[in-house]
Amino acid sequence: MSSVPRRLRFPDPREAVRGFLRTHADRLRALTRWRVGRELLGAVLIVLLDGWPGWLEEHSGWAAAWWGAVYLGLYELRLLFPAVALLVGTWLVFSGDHGGVATIIVLAYAAGYRIAPWQRALLTAVVALALHILAWDVGSPGLSGPFGSFVMLTVYGMMIALPFLVGRYAAQRAELVSTMREREERLVNERRMITRQARLRERNRIAQDMHDSLGHRLSLISVHAGALAMDSGLDEHQREAVRVLRSTALSAMEELRGVIGVLRRDVEPDEDPARRTVEAIDELVEGARRAGVRVSLVRGGKPCPLPAKVSHAAYRIAQEGLTNANKHAPGASVRVSVKYEPDALVVEVRNNPPRVRKPAGSGFGLIGLGERVRLAGGLLHVGELPSGGFRIAAVLPYEDTAAADDEPVEEEEEQLAEPARPARRWAGIGSMVLAGAVVLVVVGGYVWVGTQSVTRVVSAELYDSVRVGQPEAEVMALLPGGAEPPVGELSSQAPPEPPGSRCVYLVADEQSYTSGGQKVVRFCFADGKLVEKHTHLQET
């Protein structure tokens, strides 16, 4: 199966629910006092910032408690379903007068931080914009026209888009830092492993030199001393000296064997080739089965004697495969196969796809396993199965055809090492560029609005000079023309118009910041004459 159809497959809903519950149960178990305290502090700030003015001002009693519970529930819902919390919060905050500026900013930041795929993040932002437009029409604050649309987009950009982009930037930078730390640890471990391999290789070379040179000469000394002891021409004193010489040579040989054994001993204490052979795989599988792993063992072919390195490598393949399956695919079934083919021993460990994919490991176990198989003269294959599972398989020879110690292993290590997460050097830059563009558009728009000349306003002198009963044509000629102020619908809070009249609404020239709104004048005409002039306050 190719990768594209595999991506298009829909997951099992039951497995998705189990994985979701398992993931968040792990998060709950990993909670710290600092995290709990931070959540409580955030809830208190939501109440303080959005409670007044907000639901405490608009409602009282149980209604205020209800809206407070709704807002706090949305604040906590962001931890499980950040997209749903943002969309519901967008509708609630902008479709009524309940307040919620701090809540919607927090929800937008959490959605940008927690939604990982950019496709899902883009879809969430677009749906939030659509809901914002609908909610703005429902709870419009008296603004319409181009200026009202500009204010609506400004509110969306500053309260939703900007925190959303900042959250994505923070998440991407955190992922970059985590990846760099992982790579640093990986490099340190690789350096440590290379140093260990070089040390072991050098110790093996020293042991080989000692065995070839000193061992050979000590053996010659022992043989010559034994032959000299049989010489009949030696007296008793000389014979005693020869026996001491031969005994010393034999003792030196024993000590040399011990030193060589120490130099060749691996640092891993559990590496005992005499116990960990291909026959011990049955015990290994039985132990894993007792530990709760669903594992089966398949044997095939006629068993035959194997070299110690080959038998030990077969055991280590089964051990590493079971360890990886239990670590990265818990709950998945595992099959271990040991088959004696006509020309080689084939050992294979494969597991089904995991219920919940765990993070990738360091891969050093597979690197060490590949080196062990190479030294035994075999070939190792590691990789994912088309079904989504994982497979470790090795072909081991029946003869002892180990590779030379000084053979380069860099190519095999590259094949066996699990790939690290790619470190994107420019992670988060796109989010910050978009955030900067939002700020520039908003600031630039307000600067443009502020620089526009406004001439269609009514001065106090003009308002006083117009008289009721004056012809409509004369009044309209006196009214100013040109650019109107960037305001919304001026008649939304005006008193009822006179029956049968047509009214014109204009903004007064004299305004006060302490009035809580803007002064609007109205001229109503009927039968070609001015029948009413009125002033009211349009609250903002």
Side-chain angles (χ1 to χ4, degrees):
M1 183 181 296
S2 63
S3 60
V4 174
R6 197 188 314 164
R7 292 177 182 175
L8 295 178
R9 288 188 309 172
F10 291 97
D12 187 1
R14 292 175 297 180
E15 295 295 334
V17 171
R18 292 193 193 100
F20 175 82
L21 295 177
R22 190 180 300 110
T23 299
H24 288 285
D26 294 339
R27 289 184 177 179
L28 286 177
R29 284 191 291 267
L31 280 179
T32 61
R33 294 181 179 178
W34 161 249
R35 181 60 186 273
V36 174
R38 190 175 65 178
E39 289 297 316
L40 293 177
L41 178 61
V44 172
L45 291 178
I46 290 295
V47 173
L48 294 178
L49 295 177
D50 290 340
W52 186 273
W55 67 81
L56 293 178
E57 182 182 19
E58 297 292 330
H59 308 281
S60 61
W62 289 107
W66 160 255
W67 282 108
V70 169
Y71 274 58
L72 292 178
L74 286 176
Y75 174 73
E76 296 300 331
L77 184 64
R78 83 194 197 284
L79 301 176
L80 299 179
F81 304 102
V84 175
L86 174 61
L87 299 180
V88 175
T90 299
W91 177 261
L92 290 179
V93 170
F94 295 108
S95 63
D97 297 330
H98 312 297
V101 174
T103 302
I104 198 65
I105 291 176
V106 171
L107 295 180
Y109 177 86
Y113 189 89
R114 294 179 177 274
I115 301 176
W118 68 268
Q119 298 93 336
R120 193 180 304 169
L122 179 61
L123 179 62
T124 302
V126 172
V127 175
L129 175 60
L131 286 176
H132 176 67
I133 295 174
L134 294 177
W136 189 271
D137 292 337
V138 173
S140 175
L143 297 177
S144 62
F147 181 73
S149 300
F150 176 74
V151 173
M152 176 191 66
L153 294 177
T154 299
V155 172
Y156 173 80
M158 300 303 293
M159 296 180 59
I160 298 179
L162 187 60
F164 188 89
L165 293 172
V166 172
R168 285 201 63 80
Y169 170 79
Q172 291 169 348
R173 298 303 294 182
E175 182 181 2
L176 176 62
V177 171
S178 175
T179 302
M180 297 304 295
R181 288 178 179 173
E182 180 182 335
R183 285 200 169 192
E184 182 180 0
E185 294 177 359
R186 183 186 183 92
L187 289 175
V188 171
N189 292 332
E190 286 181 353
R191 219 174 278 120
R192 187 178 301 153
M193 181 189 64
I194 292 174
T195 303
R196 175 179 174 272
Q197 289 180 347
R199 184 173 63 250
L200 293 177
R201 186 178 291 114
E202 189 62 27
R203 285 166 58 174
N204 285 333
R205 287 198 181 103
I206 294 173
Q208 188 66 37
D209 291 341
M210 293 176 64
H211 179 272
D212 294 342
S213 59
L214 295 178
H216 178 68
R217 284 172 172 74
L218 288 175
S219 298
L220 290 178
I221 293 174
S222 178
V223 170
H224 284 296
L228 185 60
M230 303 299 296
D231 190 356
S232 58
L234 299 178
D235 55 22
E236 189 61 29
H237 180 71
Q238 291 173 334
R239 290 179 185 277
E240 182 63 25
V242 171
R243 282 195 296 269
V244 171
L245 177 61
R246 186 170 184 272
S247 176
T248 303
L250 291 175
S251 300
M253 284 288 293
E254 292 297 330
E255 293 178 1
L256 179 60
R257 290 193 186 96
V259 172
I260 292 175
V262 170
L263 289 175
R264 286 183 173 175
R265 186 179 305 153
D266 200 347
V267 294
E268 299 178 3
D270 60 341
E271 294 296 319
D272 187 1
R275 290 189 302 109
R276 304 178 185 275
T277 61
V278 67
E279 289 79 11
I281 293 180
D282 297 307
E283 181 182 352
L284 180 67
V285 171
E286 184 62 28
R289 190 178 291 118
R290 287 196 300 268
V293 181
R294 295 186 299 166
V295 55
S296 60
L297 175 62
V298 178
R299 285 186 175 270
K302 183 178 180 181
C304 61
L306 298 174
K309 285 185 178 181
V310 174
S311 184
H312 186 56
Y315 178 89
R316 286 289 290 117
I317 292 168
Q319 186 183 46
E320 184 68 23
L322 288 173
T323 301
N324 284 348
N326 189 34
K327 178 180 179 182
H328 300 291
S333 59
V334 186
R335 188 182 70 180
V336 181
S337 302
V338 180
K339 297 182 180 180
Y340 290 86
E341 300 293 345
D343 55 348
L345 175 67
V346 178
V347 182
E348 181 188 57
V349 181
R350 64 167 63 198
N351 60 268
N352 289 333
R355 295 177 181 176
V356 179
R357 188 169 296 276
K358 294 297 186 68
S362 61
F364 296 129
L366 295 179
I367 293 176
L369 186 62
E371 178 67 10
R372 189 178 299 278
V373 172
R374 186 189 70 83
L375 293 176
L379 298 175
L380 181 68
H381 172 76
V382 177
E384 292 189 4
L385 296 172
S387 61
F390 201 76
R391 175 175 179 262
I392 300 176
V395 179
L396 300 170
Y398 290 140
E399 299 83 11
D400 191 357
T401 57
D405 286 345
D406 56 353
E407 187 175 340
V409 297
E410 287 79 9
E411 182 177 354
E412 291 187 6
E413 289 181 357
E414 290 180 359
Q415 295 176 356
L416 295 173
E418 297 180 6
R421 291 183 297 171
R424 297 178 296 173
R425 296 178 57 188
W426 305 104
I429 300 301
S431 300
M432 294 310 297
V433 170
L434 291 177
V438 170
V439 174
L440 287 178
V441 169
V442 171
V443 174
Y446 276 110
V447 170
W448 178 80
V449 170
T451 56
Q452 299 301 306
S453 59
V454 178
T455 58
R456 193 170 173 79
V457 293
V458 178
S459 63
E461 294 80 4
L462 176 60
Y463 182 80
D464 295 336
S465 65
V466 176
R467 302 182 308 277
V468 176
Q470 192 173 354
E472 180 180 355
E474 293 182 7
V475 176
M476 293 300 295
L478 295 174
L479 296 182
E484 295 184 357
V487 294
E489 185 64 36
L490 300 179
S491 62
S492 59
Q493 300 180 17
E497 298 178 354
S501 64
R502 182 184 65 85
C503 299
V504 177
Y505 293 85
L506 296 172
V507 177
D509 188 17
E510 297 179 355
Q511 301 290 341
S512 174
Y513 287 105
T514 60
S515 62
Q518 54 187 349
K519 187 178 179 181
V520 179
V521 298
R522 181 177 73 182
F523 299 97
C524 296
F525 304 93
D527 299 329
K529 295 181 179 180
L530 179 66
V531 296
E532 181 193 62
K533 65 174 184 177
H534 185 271
T535 303
H536 72 275
L537 186 67
Q538 184 81 15
E539 295 181 357
T540 56

